[in-house]
Amino acid sequence: MEEMMQFLRTRRTYRRFEQRPVDHAIAAEILEAARIASCGANRQTLKYVLVESPAMVAKMQPLVHWAAYLPPEQGCPAPDETPVLFIAVCQDESLPGANDTDAGLALGSMTAAAWAHGVGSCIMGAIDRPAIQSLLGLGDCLRLHSVVAFGYPTHTSRVVPMEDGSVKYFLDEDRNYCVPKRPMEEVLLKTL
Ligand SMILES: Cc1cc2nc3c(=O)[nH]c(=O)nc-3n(C[C@H](O)[C@H](O)[C@H](O)COP(=O)(O)O)c2cc1C
């Protein structure tokens, strides 16, 4: 159990990466984790696009936006720190029952499956949807929900106590991420 909690503590958002590829077998496992995720009424409305060729990964880079709480020179990966893999998460609107909870569960499973291999990730909602939709050739029935960036991180990220109620993550002196989380006394409303 302690191992699981350590896994969950360190399965954070990562935004700077080594420039070495993530094996296709690991990408396939990440997608398998998404495929079998729980979903409302088992309707399975989510579809995925795996972007792993260096040329396509490079075309995705300018279409995603990093770390809104940080100045770009701190939050945006430099050209030699960019992710090496993207997965686009789409809702197939030709199927009934698409919902954000299902997408969240799939995203959680994907990022956990990646982290089990030491692959860090960043779930990205601030994305240029029309441009990505067109780049990936997504048809009208596919609504781009989010994109996940992956790679082997070159920094650490740790949960820190929240100070002054600020939710803003920040970098420490070694450029590692510090992510404030609300204390348990605040989030656990009652124990009955
Ligand atoms: C739905 C969602 C959308 C997000 N969109 C972005 C994004 O566009 N760009 C980014 O750099 N991080 C994005 N993030 C990462 C969050 O900023 C990050 O999860 C948050 O700061 C907490 O950090 P943690 O994941 O390490 O707990 C997103 C996360 C989620 C869950």
Side-chain angles (χ1 to χ4, degrees), residues 91-171:
Q91 291 168 320
D92 185 343
E93 294 188 321
S94 71
L95 297 169
N99 69 84
D100 287 340
T101 305
D102 289 359
L105 286 167
L107 290 165
S109 288
M110 291 162 73
T111 55
W115 190 232
H117 291 279
V119 173
S121 58
C122 182
I123 297 168
M124 313 202 78
I127 54 179
D128 185 339
R129 286 191 170 73
I132 295 175
Q133 193 97 17
S134 155
L135 178 69
L136 303 184
L138 300 175
D140 287 344
C141 284
L142 291 169
R143 196 181 81 79
L144 182 60
H145 180 274
S146 48
V147 156
V148 192
F150 295 94
Y152 293 96
T154 57
H155 65 87
T156 62
S157 178
R158 65 181 187 279
V159 169
V160 297
M162 181 175 279
E163 281 174 19
D164 304 328
S166 173
V167 296
K168 294 183 179 175
Y169 45 78
F170 55 92
L171 302 187

Side-chain angles (χ1 to χ4, degrees), residues 25-107:
I26 294 178
E29 205 172 292
I30 293 169
L31 289 165
E32 174 68 359
R35 187 181 75 85
I36 63 173
S38 294
C39 51
N42 200 28
R43 281 177 158 149
Q44 303 168 65
T45 57
L46 295 166
K47 304 283 168 72
Y48 305 91
V49 178
L50 173 60
V51 181
E52 62 178 2
S53 80
M56 284 301 286
V57 168
K59 286 185 182 170
M60 287 286 290
Q61 308 285 6
L63 307 179
V64 298
H65 304 293
W66 298 91
Y69 291 145
L70 294 175
E73 65 278 12
Q74 287 184 31
C76 286
D80 60 350
E81 300 172 326
T82 51
V84 295
L85 183 93
F86 286 99
I87 294 178
V89 178
C90 309
Q91 291 168 320
D92 185 343
E93 294 188 321
S94 71
L95 297 169
N99 69 84
D100 287 340
T101 305
D102 289 359
L105 286 167
L107 290 165

Side-chain angles (χ1 to χ4, degrees), residues 9-14 155-161 169-181:
R9 269 187 208 103
T10 55
R11 193 226 52 83
R12 310 240 61 79
T13 293
Y14 294 91
H155 65 87
T156 62
S157 178
R158 65 181 187 279
V159 169
V160 297
Y169 45 78
F170 55 92
L171 302 187
D172 68 13
E173 61 281 1
D174 298 317
R175 294 178 71 225
N176 290 316
Y177 275 79
C178 301
V179 186
K181 298 288 183 186

